[in-house]
C-alpha cells in the first residue's frame, strides 16, 4: 500500500544523511518555497541596487519640498519663502513627513532616502502578496517581484529624495 511505501521511504531517509540533505534541498526548491526565496532575493537585490544610487544627488524637486518642510517647522507655514503665501509643494504627505524629520533634528536628504528605500521594499512585498492573492503561483509572483526589483527606475527613485515610492 501507499502508506507502507511512504513509511519505508521515511525510514530510509532517516538512516542516510545524504538523502536527508537531498530531501531538504528538494523541499526548499518546491514551488511554495521558491516564491519566498525569490521574494527574499528581490528585497536584497533592491537594497543592493538602491545602495548603488545612494551617492547620486537627490532630485532638485526634493529640495523644494524640504524647504517647505523647514519653513513649516519654523512656524512660517508650508511656504517656500516666509511671508509669501504661494503653494509650491506637490506632495503634502511627504512635506509633512519631512517636517517631522526636521522637527526631530534629522537630515531630510538622508531620511528621505531611507524612507524611500523602505517604501520600495514595501512595494515589492505588496506586489508579491497581491499576486499570490489573485492566484499567481509563488514562483511566478517571486519572479515578477524580482523583475521589478531589478528595474533601474525603481531603484533610482528609491533614493531620489522624492515621494515616488510612497505613493
Amino acid at each position: 500500500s501507499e502508506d507502507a511505501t511512504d513509511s519505508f521511504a521515511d525510514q530510509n531517509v532517516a538512516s542516510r544523511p545524504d538523502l536527508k540533505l537531498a530531501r531538504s534541498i528538494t523541499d526548499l526548491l518546491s514551488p511554495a518555497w521558491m516564491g519566498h526565496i525569490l521574494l527574499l532575493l528581490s528585497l536584497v537585490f533592491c537594497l543592493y541596487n538602491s545602495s548603488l544610487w545612494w551617492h547620486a544627488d537627490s532630485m532638485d524637486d526634493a529640495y523644494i519640498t524640504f524647504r517647505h518642510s523647514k519653513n513649516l517647522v519654523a512656524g512660517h507655514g508650508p511656504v517656500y519663502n516666509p511671508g509669501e503665501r504661494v503653494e509650491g509643494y506637490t506632495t503634502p504627505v511627504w512635506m509633512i513627513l519631512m517636517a517631522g524629520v526636521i522637527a526631530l533634528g534629522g537630515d531630510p536628504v538622508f531620511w528621505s532616502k531611507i524612507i524611500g528605500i523602505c517604501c520600495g521594499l514595501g512595494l515589492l512585498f505588496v506586489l508579491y502578496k497581491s499576486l499570490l492573492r489573485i492566484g499567481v503561483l509563488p514562483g511566478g509572483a517571486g519572479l515578477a517581484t524580482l523583475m521589478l526589483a531589478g528595474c533601474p527606475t525603481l531603484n533610482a527613485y528609491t533614493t531620489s529624495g522624492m515621494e515616488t515610492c510612497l505613493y
Side-chain angles (χ1 to χ4, degrees):
S1 76
E2 194 171 306
D3 290 335
T5 306
D6 288 342
S7 175
F8 177 74
D10 289 339
Q11 289 173 0
N12 202 12
V13 168
S15 65
R16 294 196 44 202
D18 58 328
L19 290 180
K20 274 186 182 178
L21 177 62
R23 189 165 190 175
S24 64
I25 290 173
T26 303
D27 289 343
L28 193 60
L29 296 177
S30 70
W33 274 102
M34 184 57 73
H36 298 315
I37 290 170
L38 288 171
L39 172 63
L40 180 62
L41 185 61
S42 299
L43 298 175
V44 169
F45 193 44
C46 183
L47 280 172
Y48 172 73
N49 285 332
S50 295
S51 72
L52 296 177
W53 288 91
W54 182 269
H55 296 291
D57 289 333
S58 295
M59 290 189 160
D60 57 344
D61 285 358
Y63 291 97
I64 295 169
T65 303
F66 300 157
R67 183 158 173 165
H68 281 85
S69 300
K70 179 181 163 208
N71 284 329
L72 181 63
V73 171
H76 303 295
V79 296
Y80 191 78
N81 292 319
E84 294 180 9
R85 297 286 172 206
V86 177
E87 182 181 324
Y89 57 89
T90 57
T91 59
V93 173
W94 194 251
M95 185 209 40
I96 292 169
L97 188 60
M98 290 300 106
V101 166
I102 292 167
L104 293 171
D107 175 17
V109 175
F110 174 81
W111 283 104
S112 66
K113 291 181 182 210
I114 294 294
I115 294 168
I117 290 171
C118 291
C119 290
L121 295 174
L123 172 67
L124 294 173
F125 184 76
V126 167
L127 171 66
Y128 178 76
K129 289 303 217 176
S130 297
L131 290 173
L132 291 179
R133 190 169 198 178
I134 63 170
V136 175
L137 294 175
L143 187 59
T145 306
L146 184 60
M147 289 172 65
L148 180 59
C151 176
T153 305
L154 173 70
N155 294 297
Y157 275 105
T158 58
T159 58
S160 69
M162 298 293 292
E163 75 294 340
T164 309
C165 288
L166 176 66
Y167 296 116

